[in-house]
Amino acid sequence: MSENGTLSSVWDTKIQQFHGGQDWKQLDNFIEDFSVTTNALGTPKNALEASREAVSDFENHQEPAKTSLAQFLWPDDYSKHKDRLLLGNGASELIDLVIRSAPSGPWKPGPWDTQYKEYQRSAEANGRNALRSQDGTRATLLCIVNPCNPTGDYFNVGELKQWIIDNVKDGGVVIVDESMQPWLSSEFRSDSLTSQHEFLASIYLENDISVYVIHSWTKIWSCAGLRLGSVVCPTAKHCDALKKIQVPWSVNTPALAFLDAVVKDHKYMERTWEVTTKWRAEIINRLTVLSKAIVEFRNDEKLAWTFHGKNFLSWVWIDMKTVEIAKEAVTKAKIAGVPVRSGNPGYNRPTFVRVAVRELSKVDSLIQAWITLGIR
């Protein structure tokens, strides 16, 4: 067992990139999983039922699910852009497809302190050298997670376009991961790169720069086990090129049925935008009380926790300032049946802990587990 309590049988860290979200399976007293950034509302019931019914359907066609997702992304002109959309077996499959198809050369992550590691894993597996995120050198391949998981940083669409212009070589490829972007608000589409049709077309025609926008839909709709992702390609031709190297029928029938139903559940999205920001603010308030207790007990203002991330996001990235307290927090949360995500494995940020936004009655259990944290 590793230092953060994850069984070695779950991840072979010699050959696999560590990923959270497994601890709850080993808990006899499980209450709530605070280690994953899925929607606090849980899985939409109607979509889940559609997925269950589809188990007996042995046909496998991306339609009508792909058209339904296109309508979700582009309500007013989906027919113009549908051919640029490709579904995949989770975002990971699509990340690997795009990176394998990109021209050879170095890659660069987004400018954040750290980000979701699947891009690094895929780039290294394909023999690419990495540039530092703050390196001014233009890269052949850019990979930015926006909003950034886990740090919570976010570029608005204007800042994002400028960062792309400043950091990619002509003839290069850009992957923008917007998996957490739909949490922004009901106006998320207007601040998404998927809405920037003229920019995407011009940067391709004038500079031969191909920009792909990837979504993992398993977080916003809390359906991680279904493996459901999509990529918006620069052109339909780019989409066809990815299909040629994609495993056929990679998206299963239950996932397609789920997608077709869930994009029509407008009340679920409205409720998500309504409660996530409120619950996140209240969680930070409660955690701030715990932080103040540690500061007072140890008489050290430097130990005050800092909370990172935009207010609309489904998690809080917490710097607990010491490795000791962060490790204690992970251990106590797991013992109490409310696992959180350590920032050490995977992200190499040993003083950080990531806590998912959850319904406030479940947060009570986490606060109780941490009530004596750092005080002894």
Side-chain angles (χ1 to χ4, degrees), residues 324-340:
E324 167 205 358
I325 292 176
K327 288 177 66 174
E328 183 184 355
V330 172
T331 299
K332 286 188 171 180
K334 186 172 183 179
I335 290 172
V338 284
V340 297

Side-chain angles (χ1 to χ4, degrees), residues 118-366:
E118 185 61 24
Y119 294 92
Q120 177 179 335
R121 182 211 63 78
S122 182
E124 290 178 348
N126 284 277
R128 295 179 184 274
N129 295 322
L131 298 174
R132 291 181 298 105
S133 60
Q134 299 300 328
D135 191 325
T137 306
R138 293 177 183 271
T140 302
L141 173 66
L142 289 183
C143 303
I144 180 172
V145 182
N146 188 56
C148 181
N149 191 355
T151 69
D153 292 293
Y154 180 61
F155 275 155
N156 65 42
V157 74
E159 294 169 323
L160 178 58
K161 290 191 293 186
Q162 190 60 55
W163 183 82
I164 290 171
I165 291 169
D166 292 342
N167 286 277
V168 65
K169 288 182 178 180
D170 286 359
V173 166
V174 180
I175 306 177
V176 179
D177 188 326
E178 290 194 350
S179 297
M180 315 308 289
Q181 202 270 344
W183 258 282
L184 177 65
S185 74
S186 59
E187 303 300 317
F188 76 92
R189 295 174 184 87
S190 63
D191 206 42
S192 166
L193 202 61
T194 60
S195 70
Q196 302 299 301
H197 306 301
E198 291 185 9
F199 171 77
L200 298 177
S202 65
I203 201 171
Y204 175 63
L205 292 174
E206 297 173 14
N207 304 95
D208 193 27
I209 293 171
S210 301
V211 181
Y212 297 81
V213 184
I214 282 181
H215 289 91
S216 169
W217 295 111
T218 59
K219 299 298 190 294
I220 190 72
W221 290 314
S222 194
C223 59
L226 283 178
R227 308 299 307 141
L228 186 58
S230 68
V231 58
V232 178
C233 301
T235 67
K237 184 177 179 181
H238 286 78
C239 217
D240 290 341
L242 292 185
K243 287 180 185 178
K244 288 181 180 179
I245 60 173
Q246 184 181 32
V247 175
W249 320 116
S250 70
V251 186
N252 62 63
T253 300
L256 292 170
F258 182 95
L259 177 60
D260 185 47
V262 79
V263 293
K264 301 163 188 172
D265 194 340
H266 305 299
K267 289 184 179 179
Y268 182 87
M269 292 301 298
E270 290 169 1
R271 180 67 174 157
T272 297
W273 296 318
E274 175 188 352
V275 303
T276 304
T277 299
K278 294 178 182 178
W279 289 353
R280 188 180 189 277
E282 179 58 25
I283 289 171
I284 291 176
N285 288 339
R286 295 186 187 187
L287 293 175
T288 299
V289 173
L290 300 182
S291 173
K292 288 180 178 179
I294 294 173
V295 169
E296 292 176 3
F297 181 80
R298 301 196 178 190
N299 193 28
D300 189 350
E301 290 290 341
K302 294 180 181 178
L303 296 180
W305 299 350
T306 53
F307 304 98
H308 301 267
K310 296 297 182 180
N311 64 358
F312 61 85
L313 293 173
S314 63
W315 75 92
V316 185
W317 184 234
I318 310 166
D319 186 355
M320 293 184 167
K321 299 303 172 72
T322 73
V323 174
E324 167 205 358
I325 292 176
K327 288 177 66 174
E328 183 184 355
V330 172
T331 299
K332 286 188 171 180
K334 186 172 183 179
I335 290 172
V338 284
V340 297
R341 174 72 186 271
S342 168
N344 190 30
Y347 295 124
N348 194 29
R349 298 296 182 270
T351 68
F352 282 81
V353 171
R354 191 185 69 192
V355 175
V357 171
R358 290 293 180 259
E359 195 274 327
L360 295 179
S361 65
K362 301 292 181 66
V363 176
D364 293 340
S365 298
L366 178 63

